Amino acid sequence: MEERLKDLSMRARAALEGARSLDELEEARARYLGRSGLLREIQQGIRDVAQELRPRIGQLINTTKADLERILEERRGALEELKIHERGDEQLIDVTLPGRAQYSAGRHPLLATLDDMLEIFLGLGYTIASGPEVENYHYGFEALNYPADHPAMDEQATFYIAEDVLLRSQTSTVQIRVMEAQEPPVRVVVPGRCFRRDTMDATHSHTFHQLEGLCVDEGVTFADLKGTLLAFGRGMFGEDTQVRFRPDFFPFTEPSAEFAVTCFNCHGDGCRICKGSGWIELGGAGMVDPNVLAGVGYDTERYTGFAFGVGIERFAMNRYGIPDMRLLYSGDMRLLRQF
Amino acid sequence: MRVPYSWLMEYLETATPADELAEILTMGGLEVEEVEEWTSADGKARDTILITSVTSNRGDLLSMVGVARHTAALLRCNLKLPELRIEETDSPNVAGSDLTQGDTRITIDDLPGCPRYSALRLVGVQIRPSPDWMRHRLEAAGVRPLGNVIDATNYVLLELGQPLHAFDHRLLVRGHIIVRRAEDGEKLVTIDGNTRELSENDLVIADEKGAIALAGVMGGTETEMGERTTDVLLESAHFNPTMIRRTAQRHVMSTEASYRFERFVDPNLTLPALARAAQLIRQTAGGEVAGPAIDVRAEDFAREPITLRPARTNWVLGTKLQTPEQVELLKRLGFGVETDTAAAEGAARGLPDRDWLRPYPNELQALERMTVAVPTRRPDIEREIDLIEEIAIIYGYNNMPTTLPGAIASAGVRTREQKLESRVSEVMRGAGICENVSYSMMGGCDLDFLCLVPEAPEREALCLRDPAAENQELMRTTLLPGLLVAAQHNVRRRVDTVALFEIGRVFLGRGEGVLPEERQKLAAICMGSSRVSTWNLPNEYQEMDFYWLKGVIEQLCGRLNVTGLTFERADRSSLHPGRSATVIVDGEQIGHLGEISREVQRAYDLPSPAVLLEIDLDTLIAKADLLAQYAPQPRFPAVNRDLALVVDQDEAHSGTHLIEAAERSGGELLESVSIFDVYADPERLGAGRKSVAMRLVFRDPDRTLTDEEVDEAMRGIIQHMERKLRAEARTW
Ligand SMILES: [Zn+2]
């Protein structure tokens, strides 16, 4: 009896698992598990078994039946799935049709660039400060050591609202406000909008963004400025980036420098982006002029500091390959959906 | 400035090729923007031109000799300057402000405007074209040759940087030159043919009849050199930079002369320049110098030496330059340096490394110092720090060490407000709305397009004196015009789905001469579908309508942990009167939300009514919390009941009122109320009536509720609704 049961179980399992269609499966089910199937036959044969063996055999029949039923259902599920793939069925969907998700929008390329820059300076221990975009003449020029009526002011092409009220032409104005509000050590970066009366074209905009940096403490040196901007360049463009400094002039720094990084595209060999020079100019920098420090009441013998300013627009344009600055301000959905 | 390579090399003992020189100059403080191969118009001469860009503090680099001096310092090579003396300029007579010499008299009426006026007379000159070498040099430098005497003055201007002017001496009334302020309304025809109306702010050169030149800017036609001129008076003066700058700006003219005077010309250059010009004129036009030069000047133009502490150089630059090295660098620039031998001991122990620098500044006082005599051609060098910069430039910025500042005891972290602002951007972008950056300016027309009433605060906009573009004459008082213009931009390019937001500042006037209030706003414009793809999807599942954008605000407040957000019907001229709301947090209005009105839609030419949002972000952020507080999960199950009410269709039966009514009457067990269906059907419900279905959730935190308890609470609610709100209730 036990032998027969084991044999039946094996054959039934093979038939169920080997069924290649629902019809074949149904056939196997009827043959083994049906009302007049083979298992039923054995079950009825239990009457011929000795009384004391009956419980054990009964138990065995039940587990065999349960096993086979489980296999039957598994196979049925598999075959049904198969059937969906084979023929049209209401459960069959066209998985190649487009997804219907809500949009998810990325950061504006200008602000994403700014974020990456801020991240580096936060890591170097800087905090983020801000200041007014509409400024007094004092903060716009005087406190930044601009001599009255000097050609240096022409370069700023400043917008005026009144004699004493102007739109800041550089974020350097915030240097003064930050230093007026606190004693050294100072370590801040200032992201923000600036304005110059530029003709609008592919590379100029009357509204633009800068990131200003300021570090003032005892013993801060020009070498520290170089190291800080090298760290910045490497953070933005990778560890093999070099930074180059050349003299420039800003009334509020002395010595003053213009700084450039090796071109992220050609790594210094020269290409279209760097106009063949291998370098990309990023901005101006220098040691804060003692007149500026004295103006905010700092002890110029004790404290030195450096400041730097980076333009964001051209940086972002180079980075993402955006050819026209006006696109950044256009609100063009076809542009913005790409980021 | 155009610097012809061959001209420059005349003064330098070096064979450095042009492109190499360009790089060295650029890295040494004189930017060479371009290197150009040049051929003269007659094809006879070729040269390489270095086109330089001179920073506004370095007037001394606006001449060939100035560039040569700087190059010699950078290359450490010898300089060969032309002979800058003739007998007649060697010991000119000096007297106060009025001097006569033969037939020439010079009077300076305005010494602050013109601290020095030197002149030299040449007679018997013959005007003709300059020789080829002179014409080619001028042409290469970008100056048109005009005849030998004028060419010689231009040559000296280019070579030495001293602007000269040549008068026809016979045309000067009584040979008397007067430097004075113009009279108001005085007229002068300048040699460019324009009649200039002068004011008393203008400095002029006059003779006894009237103005003959706009000082330092341009000469007049009346005393202009002609082909028959034989008797020349050369002017070589030093003018006040600010005065010249203002005059040039007032008359909207910039000349080679004014450009240099604005940037300061060495006051001690007047006589050498006359000597050089006389040499050249004798060479190219013949003639004789008539008598010694006349030199009228206010002072001697000597300069006090500047003290430099070599240790301070290293303190500022982070270098370890020994004193002799610093001395050598300064001497290369032609500065006179004297070291203080008494403090040589300090030098002997060598200059400090960085660690040693720490005990500064008390120790610095004991260290040696040097005195540096700076030539008058360098007015930009006044202080110790200016000398330190010169040392840095000649030493080379890229030769200096590269370090990082020492540690400070604070971490670089964003402030609460900065973090919350980032979060606002994240939530908006997460809702699929693109971040926009628009200009800070708007046009007066935008305020009209928005249909703002005359007394609207948005109309109190700051006005730019000289706007850069049309319709950008005002500082924005609202972010909406920027977004509407952007929507229009997209629609014109056949992009009909627009979802934009901006976080930006607006500028609210606080009266004349006072800085405006700058407030951070959040605004958005949405129209079209919220989904990437919408096939087979009913419109209401995809359209960014009022409720969609309202949902975004609710999500935003949730993410900012702002509670107490409510909406009330709004009355804004720019928004649809039936479909707009005031956004309120804790009873404070923070902004508006709604469909744009038909007028606004027409003004910006939009195909469908967009929804707009503008709220005061500063206020919202002030009410926000960075961190959410965890509320424990309920331990006992809730019981849900649905209730349909048929009520009047009016403000008193708005969603908010019905929910509030349920909350007031639901007792302590009522956990939440939400509306899930609203419809109006005049035939079934009666005119002016609507059906509102709400789900009520009941829960006791400490035990499982019985049906009887919930039934009891429901009865309370229904009674309240029926009595107070004239509602017909149905439950299921
Ligand atoms: Zn490149």
Side-chain angles (χ1 to χ4, degrees):
Chain A
M1 188 86 188
E2 232 182 298
E3 280 300 303
R4 270 180 67 204
L5 194 60
K6 215 177 259 177
D7 180 50
L8 177 88
S9 166
M10 255 165 61
R11 278 184 295 129
R13 181 187 281 258
L16 290 170
E17 284 180 343
R20 277 163 304 175
S21 68
L22 287 171
D23 289 347
E24 272 185 42
L25 187 70
E26 177 53 27
E27 212 171 280
R29 188 200 65 81
R31 185 169 157 75
Y32 295 102
L33 296 168
R35 202 173 283 268
S36 51
L38 292 170
L39 190 64
R40 183 81 172 178
E41 227 168 76
I42 291 180
Q43 216 168 359
Q44 278 161 0
I46 202 159
R47 275 167 298 189
D48 306 333
V49 175
Q51 185 72 32
E52 65 275 20
L53 288 177
R54 273 184 206 172
R56 210 172 71 80
I57 297 294
Q59 171 92 29
L60 211 58
I61 289 170
N62 283 341
T63 52
T64 304
K65 192 176 177 200
D67 276 352
L68 291 176
E69 271 169 356
R70 184 176 50 78
I71 291 165
L72 172 71
E73 283 317 307
E74 274 175 19
R75 188 62 194 158
R76 193 197 303 281
L79 286 172
E80 267 171 359
E81 261 177 45
L82 217 61
K83 186 184 138 205
I84 287 169
H85 283 282
E86 277 167 3
R87 285 186 268 129
D89 184 284
E90 59 179 19
Q91 286 192 55
L92 177 71
I93 61 165
D94 180 352
V95 297
T96 64
L97 283 177
R100 286 192 295 222
Q102 297 262 354
Y103 282 104
S104 172
R107 194 100 158 105
H108 190 283
L110 210 53
L111 303 177
T113 305
L114 206 44
D115 281 349
D116 287 349
M117 293 181 176
L118 291 174
E119 225 55 62
I120 294 169
F121 287 107
L122 287 167
L124 290 170
Y126 288 70
T127 52
I128 304 169
S130 64
E133 290 169 12
V134 178
E135 264 295 7
N136 284 128
Y137 180 85
H138 174 74
Y139 290 97
F141 289 114
E142 223 163 43
L144 289 170
N145 197 35
Y146 276 81
D149 250 312
H150 193 267
M153 291 170 69
D154 296 350
E155 291 154 25
Q156 300 302 318
T158 307
F159 283 109
Y160 280 89
I161 284 163
E163 200 67 41
D164 184 38
V165 182
L166 48 83
L167 306 191
R168 70 177 179 201
S169 58
Q170 48 196 353
T171 39
S172 313
T173 52
V174 186
Q175 283 184 24
I176 310 301
R177 292 198 175 264
V178 167
M179 289 192 286
E180 279 178 347
Q182 74 169 97
E183 286 296 313
V186 176
R187 258 181 222 190
V188 293
V189 277
V190 183
R193 285 183 182 221
C194 306
F195 309 90
R196 283 182 203 174
R197 295 195 71 259
D198 260 334
T199 319
M200 308 286 283
D201 61 26
T203 53
H204 294 88
S205 168
H206 58 61
T207 302
F208 60 98
H209 291 71
Q210 276 189 344
L211 179 72
E212 185 85 7
L214 176 70
C215 171
V216 182
D217 200 353
E218 273 183 31
V220 172
T221 67
F222 193 85
D224 294 337
L225 167 65
K226 288 182 66 183
T228 300
L229 292 175
L230 180 65
F232 168 63
R234 294 196 167 164
M236 287 305 285
F237 300 114
E239 282 307 309
D240 56 348
T241 304
Q242 297 297 320
V243 183
R244 187 190 73 174
F245 293 78
R246 63 177 180 81
D248 204 332
F249 168 66
F250 310 106
F252 43 96
T253 52
E254 186 93 1
S256 300
E258 189 279 341
F259 68 101
V261 291
T262 38
C263 175
F264 62 87
N265 186 49
C266 65
H267 304 282
D269 296 339
C271 69
R272 192 181 48 81
I273 288 176
C274 57
K275 299 191 184 85
S277 71
W279 296 95
I280 293 182
E281 298 193 349
L282 287 189
M287 300 301 290
V288 182
D289 195 290
N291 288 353
V292 174
L293 295 177
V296 297
Y298 283 6
D299 177 348
T300 58
E301 273 294 289
R302 185 170 167 202
Y303 295 115
T304 49
F306 60 74
F308 55 85
V310 187
I312 313 297
E313 270 75 0
R314 283 183 215 188
F315 202 112
M317 287 163 71
N318 278 334
R319 203 174 183 219
Y320 297 103
I322 297 171
D324 192 318
M325 199 177 282
R326 288 166 292 193
L327 273 172
L328 292 170
Y329 288 88
S330 65
D332 192 303
M333 295 298 292
R334 297 163 303 175
L335 171 101
L336 296 172
R337 284 277 183 237
Q338 294 178 29
F339 297 97
Chain B
M1 190 177 77
R2 294 172 64 86
V3 180
Y5 177 67
S6 68
W7 193 346
L8 179 63
M9 293 313 269
E10 193 177 294
Y11 311 113
L12 292 167
E13 285 177 7
T14 174
T16 313
D19 47 352
E20 207 175 298
L21 193 59
E23 177 69 12
I24 290 167
L25 286 172
T26 296
M27 299 314 292
L30 177 59
E31 187 188 358
V32 177
E33 285 183 331
E34 210 184 318
V35 178
E36 177 190 303
E37 291 305 324
W38 166 87
T39 309
S40 66
D42 59 15
K44 288 189 204 162
R46 309 170 143 273
D47 208 339
T48 304
I49 316 289
L50 308 182
I51 299 171
T52 64
S53 162
V54 182
T55 54
S56 58
N57 61 328
R58 290 301 298 270
D60 67 298
L61 293 178
L62 291 170
S63 69
M64 303 305 159
V65 163
V67 175
R69 270 204 187 92
H70 194 65
T71 311
L74 291 169
L75 292 177
R76 215 185 291 217
C77 70
N78 283 331
L79 197 61
K80 302 172 291 179
L81 293 186
E83 187 56 58
L84 295 176
R85 299 164 48 204
I86 54 172
E87 204 183 312
E88 290 83 355
T89 59
D90 243 7
S91 52
N93 29 29
V94 176
S97 58
D98 192 339
L99 195 73
T100 306
Q101 157 95 43
D103 287 343
T104 311
R105 180 177 167 201
I106 294 186
T107 310
I108 304 180
D109 261 0
D110 191 326
L111 277 172
C114 175
R116 185 167 198 171
Y117 196 102
S118 311
L120 187 69
R121 185 173 175 194
L122 289 108
V123 293
V125 301
Q126 200 181 349
I127 305 297
R128 54 175 179 258
S130 293
D132 277 357
W133 67 267
M134 163 91 72
R135 286 193 293 112
H136 289 149
R137 283 226 161 142
L138 294 178
E139 199 185 316
V143 174
R144 198 156 59 94
L146 294 166
N148 48 14
V149 173
I150 303 280
D151 290 352
T153 61
N154 283 334
Y155 191 92
V156 171
L157 172 133
L158 293 169
E159 184 180 48
L160 302 178
Q162 170 70 53
L164 301 177
H165 188 68
F167 296 103
D168 186 329
H169 194 279
R170 283 182 312 186
L171 300 177
L172 297 172
V173 175
R174 295 180 16 130
H176 188 184
I177 293 276
I178 305 154
V179 189
R180 60 165 169 83
R181 295 297 187 98
E183 282 155 29
D184 267 333
E186 193 173 356
K187 291 211 169 48
L188 170 70
V189 182
T190 44
I191 55 173
D192 58 5
N194 290 322
T195 304
R196 311 278 171 181
E197 175 146 353
L198 308 175
S199 81
E200 60 178 7
N201 295 315
D202 294 320
L203 191 68
V204 294
I205 312 300
D207 61 12
E208 292 191 0
K209 196 173 128 224
I212 55 171
L214 202 49
V217 183
M218 193 178 273
T221 46
E222 237 169 277
T223 53
E224 194 181 357
M225 302 273 300
E227 278 172 26
R228 303 209 175 146
T229 304
T230 57
D231 189 351
V232 177
L233 186 72
L234 288 179
E235 164 198 294
S236 181
H238 177 70
F239 295 112
N240 176 315
T242 306
M243 190 109 196
I244 300 302
R245 177 177 154 77
R246 288 194 184 151
T247 298
Q249 280 184 340
R250 199 158 33 241
H251 296 285
V252 199
M253 49 204 299
S254 177
T255 60
E256 294 279 350
S258 70
Y259 188 78
R260 284 171 175 77
F261 280 126
E262 274 181 44
R263 284 160 178 76
F264 194 90
V265 176
D266 182 0
N268 286 322
L269 198 56
T270 58
L271 293 172
L274 286 176
R276 181 65 174 148
Q279 284 171 17
L280 291 168
I281 290 169
R282 277 192 303 216
Q283 194 184 334
T284 62
E288 285 300 321
V289 176
I294 314 175
D295 186 26
V296 185
R297 61 187 202 229
E299 48 164 313
D300 270 349
F301 305 104
R303 292 192 56 181
E304 286 294 311
I306 303 168
T307 302
L308 172 69
R309 296 161 297 174
R312 180 76 185 175
T313 305
N314 291 319
W315 170 256
V316 172
L317 298 180
T319 46
K320 294 173 190 171
L321 290 169
Q322 305 286 330
T323 304
E325 268 181 287
Q326 297 192 31
V327 170
E328 197 264 342
L329 290 167
L330 290 170
K331 282 190 170 165
R332 270 156 71 178
L333 284 163
F335 298 176
V337 186
E338 274 180 46
T339 43
D340 181 352
T341 46
E345 214 177 305
R349 71 182 217 232
L351 277 159
D353 60 18
R354 223 190 123 114
D355 292 329
W356 187 93
L357 283 168
R358 290 295 158 191
Y360 186 84
N362 18 354
E363 295 211 32
L364 185 65
Q365 299 310 323
L367 280 176
E368 64 175 331
R369 40 194 70 213
M370 50 173 106
T371 51
V372 182
V374 178
T376 45
R377 63 171 180 270
R378 295 296 306 273
D380 58 315
I381 299 177
E382 293 173 322
R383 306 163 298 168
E384 186 178 46
I385 190 70
D386 301 324
L387 289 171
I388 293 172
E389 179 177 50
E390 292 304 307
I391 289 172
I393 290 173
I394 302 301
Y395 182 68
Y397 284 5
N398 297 303
N399 297 327
M400 284 195 251
T402 301
T403 53
L404 278 175
I408 53 169
S410 65
V413 285
R414 291 175 202 267
T415 61
R416 173 189 172 277
E417 286 74 18
Q418 288 161 357
K419 287 177 183 167
L420 286 165
E421 190 190 315
S422 299
R423 193 177 296 176
V424 171
S425 167
E426 261 166 45
V427 174
M428 297 303 284
R429 288 185 286 114
I433 310 177
C434 286
E435 192 163 38
N436 189 36
V437 175
S438 64
Y439 299 122
S440 301
M441 293 86 160
M442 62 178 184
C445 60
D446 285 310
L447 299 172
D448 296 334
F449 289 168
L450 280 175
C451 309
L452 291 168
V453 291
E455 61 277 13
E458 287 90 341
R459 287 200 180 267
E460 298 293 312
L462 304 182
C463 190
L464 294 173
R465 279 185 176 181
D466 37 13
E470 216 183 322
N471 297 335
Q472 300 200 335
E473 73 276 14
L474 301 178
M475 295 307 287
R476 61 185 180 186
T477 50
T478 156
L479 303 185
L480 297 180
L483 291 170
L484 285 158
V485 167
Q488 190 180 33
H489 165 99
N490 282 293
V491 165
R492 282 182 181 164
R493 285 156 187 80
R494 300 180 188 281
V495 178
D496 287 346
T497 286
V498 175
L500 292 167
F501 78 95
E502 179 164 8
I503 294 172
R505 291 191 198 176
V506 299
F507 304 87
L508 309 171
R510 284 195 280 211
E512 192 101 349
V514 184
L515 292 188
E517 184 184 6
E518 298 186 15
R519 291 199 72 83
Q520 194 92 308
K521 295 267 182 180
L522 165 69
I525 187 167
C526 297
M527 55 192 276
S529 170
S530 66
R531 288 175 190 260
V532 183
S533 176
T534 58
W535 55 276
N536 280 13
L537 214 55
N539 234 14
E540 57 269 31
Y541 281 116
Q542 38 158 307
E543 183 141 319
M544 292 182 287
D545 58 6
F546 177 90
Y547 291 114
W548 187 87
L549 192 55
K550 180 179 174 185
V552 172
I553 303 170
E554 288 165 341
Q555 287 298 306
L556 176 66
C557 287
R559 290 288 316 280
L560 296 177
N561 305 306
V562 166
T563 51
L565 171 69
T566 53
F567 297 82
E568 265 175 22
R569 186 172 301 288
D571 179 20
R572 303 271 300 168
S573 44
S574 47
L575 298 176
H576 187 298
R579 297 170 170 233
S580 55
T582 303
V583 185
I584 297 163
V585 174
D586 285 342
E588 187 178 347
Q589 291 195 6
I590 63 163
H592 299 278
L593 157 74
E595 257 179 37
I596 54 175
S597 69
R598 301 298 133 157
E599 287 80 5
V600 175
Q601 187 186 337
R602 258 197 302 277
Y604 289 96
D605 216 1
L606 303 180
S608 56
V611 274
L612 282 182
L613 160 74
E614 184 168 44
I615 57 176
D616 191 292
L617 194 57
D618 289 335
T619 309
L620 184 65
I621 281 179
K623 293 178 183 297
D625 247 320
L626 263 180
L627 301 179
Q629 287 302 313
Y630 172 72
Q633 314 288 5
R635 290 192 299 140
F636 294 91
V639 177
N640 295 342
R641 291 289 170 87
D642 291 345
L643 170 66
L645 297 168
V646 176
V647 292
D648 285 348
Q649 244 179 326
D650 60 12
E651 290 302 302
H653 297 84
S654 69
T656 302
H657 282 116
L658 293 176
I659 288 173
E660 277 173 8
E663 283 170 348
R664 256 200 309 279
S665 55
E668 280 190 359
L669 299 177
L670 180 63
E671 187 180 76
S672 67
V673 186
S674 57
I675 290 175
F676 64 90
D677 188 52
V678 179
Y679 73 95
D681 182 344
E683 292 198 357
R684 282 178 52 208
L685 306 174
R689 300 281 276 177
K690 65 179 173 186
S691 162
V692 176
M694 45 176 65
R695 168 151 299 177
L696 303 124
V697 179
F698 297 89
R699 194 196 305 270
D700 188 310
D702 301 318
R703 61 191 173 87
T704 303
L705 290 176
T706 62
D707 276 350
E708 291 71 33
E709 286 173 300
V710 176
D711 290 345
E712 172 69 30
M714 283 297 284
R715 270 195 296 280
I717 294 170
I718 291 166
Q719 264 181 24
H720 182 81
M721 295 291 187
E722 284 172 347
R723 284 187 198 150
K724 304 278 180 187
L725 294 169
R726 296 207 310 119
E728 301 159 40
R730 277 179 291 145
T731 50
W732 68 88

